[in-house]
Amino acid sequence: MAKASDLPTLVRAGADGDEKAWHELVHRYAHLVVAVTRQYRLSAADAQDVSQTVWLRLVEHLADIREPAALAGWIITTAKHECLRLLRSGGRTVPVDPLNGRVLDQSATVDMDGDLVEAERQQALRDGLAELAPHQRELLVLLATDPPPPYAEISRRLGIPIGSIGPTRSRILDKLRATTAIRTYLEATREAAPDGGGRHALAELE
């Protein structure tokens, strides 16, 4: 069984028929499919149909995923396509922006789209953190807690001097930015906003 923190190994194991690896992938990314179906305001039954189709497509194409860190984006894109296909096949007219596939003329569209972007961003952070060593991941998680524990408590729990917490945090953030998951996410973000717009994915950790 692949370690849950090792996404490339998890993807390979799932493609090779490892049921535990497959279930871990579904558990890890299911919320992204839910976010997309909510964006398109599908009924519970339709949302379930889309979800089942997305996972079926993933089973068919998992072995073809060349960059596991891009898996979240693949799932979101596939879910969007399936939502549109289902709506069109049912004869339901839904106004959609032809440039990005977003549903138009719905009062909650902006908020739901923001939720989807946030879900993808959070998934990229989780995948990036999973690439770090456990003690590095624990330090960042502790410092990101609201409110964070006192430095004395962090020092006691992790066994590092209080004076080294800040510098260690900076080094680990550099490693986090260099992870495959974060680099892939930032590259996709830059492609989507070539003018450099948008909030940096790691702003809350800086």
Side-chain angles (χ1 to χ4, degrees):
M1 166 62 185
K3 294 189 297 183
S5 61
D6 188 346
L7 183 57
T9 303
L10 202 60
V11 169
R12 288 194 298 270
D16 290 338
D18 187 322
E19 289 190 14
K20 290 184 178 180
W22 170 252
H23 289 311
E24 171 62 25
L25 287 171
V26 173
H27 175 74
R28 183 180 294 195
Y29 293 104
H31 69 284
L32 296 179
V33 180
V34 172
V36 174
T37 57
R38 284 177 177 171
Q39 181 187 29
Y40 287 86
R41 303 180 113 178
L42 299 185
S43 67
D46 286 346
Q48 183 64 30
D49 286 345
V50 167
S51 179
Q52 291 178 354
T53 302
V54 168
W55 301 125
L56 176 61
R57 295 282 184 270
L58 185 57
V59 167
E60 294 171 345
H61 297 284
L62 193 58
D64 302 325
I65 300 291
R66 288 177 291 181
E67 183 49 77
L71 183 58
W74 187 95
I75 289 172
I76 287 173
T77 299
T78 302
K80 285 182 175 180
H81 289 166
E82 287 305 317
C83 285
L84 290 173
R85 182 194 61 77
L86 185 147
L87 292 172
R88 289 165 180 159
S89 66
R92 295 158 59 186
T93 300
V94 178
V96 174
D97 186 332
L99 296 179
N100 54 33
R102 294 173 184 169
V103 179
L104 299 176
D105 300 328
Q106 295 184 12
S107 60
T109 295
V110 174
D111 289 339
M112 286 188 291
D113 193 58
D115 289 343
L116 182 56
V117 171
E118 176 65 14
E120 185 174 7
R121 185 180 69 86
Q122 290 296 332
Q123 186 62 55
L125 283 171
R126 282 192 290 269
D127 290 343
L129 287 169
E131 294 183 44
L132 300 176
H135 68 280
Q136 296 172 335
R137 183 165 58 248
E138 186 175 2
L139 177 59
L140 290 188
V141 169
L142 285 173
L143 290 171
T145 302
D146 186 20
Y151 270 24
E153 173 65 13
I154 294 176
S155 174
R156 183 188 66 79
R157 290 178 60 173
L158 301 185
I160 59 177
I162 292 178
S164 68
I165 292 176
T168 301
R169 169 181 177 272
S170 296
R171 289 194 296 271
I172 297 174
L173 278 174
D174 287 339
K175 291 183 178 181
L176 178 59
R177 296 186 192 98
T179 60
T180 301
I182 295 301
R183 284 189 290 105
T184 300
Y185 173 80
L186 292 179
E187 288 171 5
T189 301
R190 282 192 289 270
E191 290 176 2
D195 59 351
R199 187 167 180 266
H200 194 287
L202 303 180
E204 73 276 17
L205 294 178
E206 295 175 344

